[in-house]
Amino acid sequence: MRKIFLLAAFVCFAALSVSAQTEESESKTEKMLRLTKTANENPTDWKAQLEAGHFLLDKEKGVYNQSQAEKYYERIYHLATDYNKEIPDSVIRETGFMLMSVAADKKNFDKALFYIDAMTHARRVGVDISDEYMNSIDVCGIMYSMIKEDMVKPLAYIMNIRERLTKNKTPGIEYTDVLTTILFERLMEKYKDMFGDKMMELTLDDKKYIMISKGDWNIEKPLVGWMQKEEGSPMVLYGEDGKVYDDKHGKMEYGFDWYKNGVVPKEGVNMRLITVTPERRQQMVEAYRNYLKNAKKNK
C-alpha cells in the first residue's frame, strides 16, 4: 500500500522559506501564473500538477478555472495509470473523482465512464487503489450508465461491488440486492427486445431443424431460459418437413471470428438464431401442442 500523503503538504521547503514580504507582494494572478508555469515545465511532476490544479479549483482565490485545472489533473491521471509511477492513493482518488465529475458536469458520460474503466484497469495492472474507492466509482458508473440507458455496464459495476463485498466479508451485502435485481431485470428486458422472438435453428446431418422446446422453455414463450438443462426432458425440434422430432442427437457447435470485412462463423458451426413469419411460428406452435397431446396419450 503506497503511503498516503496529506494533500496540504506538497509545497516544497524552498517555497515555504519564501519571505513574508514576497508572499504578500505576490498577487493571486501572479501565483497562478507561477504555479501553472512550473507545472507546464515539469509535466511528469505530479506534485506540481496537483498544486496548480488545487489553486485553479479554489473559488476563494478568485482565479477559478475548472477547464484549465482539468489539464493538470489529466497529466496526473496519465502518470497514475502507469503503475511504475509512485503516486499516493489519495491523489489517485482525487484525480479520478475530479476528472469524472468534470466530464459528468459537461454531460459527457462516455468520458466519465472512460475514467472509471481506466481506473479499474489501472488497479488490475498494479496501481494501488482501495476497495472503498473502487466501490465509489462503480456506483458512479451505475448512475452514468443508467442515464445513458445502457443495460449492460450498470450490472457489471454492481457485480464488481458485490464481489468485493463478498471477498472482504463485508456485512450488509443484502442491501444491494434490490438494485442488483433491478439491473438484471433491465438487462432481461433488453434481451427480450433484441432476441425474445428469435428461434434457434440447428443443422444436423445436413438437415435444418428449429428448436421448439428445451427444458422449461418452449415456443410459446420468449426465447429465455433455453440454456437450462433438465434431465429426462428431450429437446424437441421442428423439421423442414413439418414434422416434430424428439430423438435427434448431435453435437451443437458455435463460434465466430472477426476480420476487417466482418464477422464469420467458425468452421463446423451448426447453430444460429433466425426470425420466422408469424404464420410459420403459429404452425410450429400447433405442431408442438399436438406433440404434447400425443406424448400424454402414449404415457
Side-chain angles (χ1 to χ4, degrees):
M1 182 73 179
R2 293 190 179 94
K3 183 177 180 182
I4 299 178
F5 297 96
L6 292 175
L7 297 180
F10 289 148
V11 183
C12 66
F13 176 79
L16 290 175
S17 64
V18 174
S19 68
Q21 182 179 0
T22 303
E23 285 289 337
E24 291 175 359
S25 62
E26 185 180 42
S27 69
K28 293 174 182 178
T29 299
E30 289 171 337
K31 183 174 182 180
M32 181 268 291
L33 292 174
R34 174 172 59 80
L35 292 177
T36 55
K37 181 175 183 293
T38 300
N40 291 331
E41 291 175 349
N42 301 277
T44 60
D45 184 346
W46 64 264
K47 294 181 180 180
Q49 311 310 312
L50 188 67
E51 194 169 8
H54 276 175
F55 194 80
L56 289 166
L57 289 179
D58 189 342
K59 294 182 179 180
E60 294 183 359
K61 301 294 184 184
V63 290
Y64 180 81
N65 190 323
Q66 186 185 63
S67 296
Q68 190 175 359
E70 183 181 7
K71 177 178 71 174
Y72 300 109
Y73 279 96
E74 278 276 8
R75 289 177 183 168
I76 298 173
Y77 154 74
H78 287 295
L79 295 170
T81 49
D82 178 352
Y83 62 92
N84 291 315
K85 302 294 183 181
E86 291 292 329
I87 296 180
D89 185 61
S90 58
V91 176
I92 294 174
R93 290 198 302 270
E94 178 184 347
T95 299
F97 272 119
M98 190 277 176
L99 292 173
M100 196 171 52
S101 299
V102 170
D105 286 344
K106 295 177 180 179
K107 308 299 182 185
N108 190 345
F109 298 111
D110 285 329
K111 191 172 183 180
L113 291 168
F114 166 79
Y115 289 120
I116 294 173
D117 293 340
M119 289 294 178
T120 300
H121 174 72
R123 172 167 152 146
R124 287 174 182 161
V125 299
V127 176
D128 190 6
I129 305 177
S130 68
D131 282 347
E132 290 77 10
Y133 174 86
M134 296 307 302
N135 288 340
S136 297
I137 65 170
D138 276 341
V139 169
C140 293
I142 293 170
M143 179 175 63
Y144 299 152
S145 299
M146 292 180 74
I147 290 173
K148 290 176 77 282
E149 297 187 0
D150 185 331
M151 309 300 176
V152 178
K153 290 181 76 71
L155 186 57
Y157 290 131
I158 192 66
M159 294 307 290
N160 285 340
I161 293 172
R162 290 175 66 93
E163 182 180 351
R164 294 187 203 103
L165 295 176
T166 301
K167 180 180 178 181
N168 296 330
K169 298 180 179 180
T170 306
I173 189 174
E174 65 273 12
Y175 297 117
T176 69
D177 288 349
V178 171
L179 178 57
T180 305
T181 56
I182 290 172
L183 295 176
F184 266 109
E185 189 72 21
R186 290 191 63 183
L187 183 61
M188 188 58 66
E189 290 173 3
K190 182 67 173 179
Y191 171 83
K192 288 181 179 179
D193 288 342
M194 294 176 67
F195 305 111
D197 65 342
K198 299 289 185 180
M199 304 293 296
M200 179 64 70
E201 182 186 80
L202 303 174
T203 301
L204 301 172
D205 298 326
D206 296 324
K207 293 183 179 180
K208 295 186 183 302
Y209 301 89
I210 295 177
M211 185 175 71
I212 58 175
S213 176
K214 185 176 182 295
D216 288 335
W217 175 84
N218 65 68
I219 190 174
E220 298 194 73
K221 304 175 182 178
L223 188 62
V224 177
W226 66 275
M227 286 290 292
Q228 297 176 3
K229 294 181 180 180
E230 185 174 313
E231 295 297 330
S233 178
M235 178 167 60
V236 183
L237 303 172
Y238 183 82
E240 294 176 292
D241 55 6
K243 295 181 180 180
V244 176
Y245 299 87
D246 62 4
D247 57 352
K248 296 296 179 181
H249 299 282
K251 193 173 182 181
M252 299 169 69
E253 298 279 355
Y254 177 75
F256 60 85
D257 288 315
W258 51 90
Y259 302 98
K260 289 183 179 179
N261 295 329
V263 180
V264 297
K266 286 185 177 292
E267 185 178 353
V269 166
N270 65 348
M271 304 171 63
R272 68 171 186 152
L273 289 180
I274 63 172
T275 301
V276 299
T277 63
E279 293 77 17
R280 192 177 184 206
R281 189 182 187 97
Q282 187 58 38
Q283 290 173 0
M284 287 185 276
V285 169
E286 295 298 331
Y288 176 65
R289 290 174 180 173
N290 289 331
Y291 164 81
L292 292 178
K293 289 178 182 179
N294 293 331
K296 189 174 182 180
K297 289 179 182 178
N298 295 331
K299 281 187 177 181

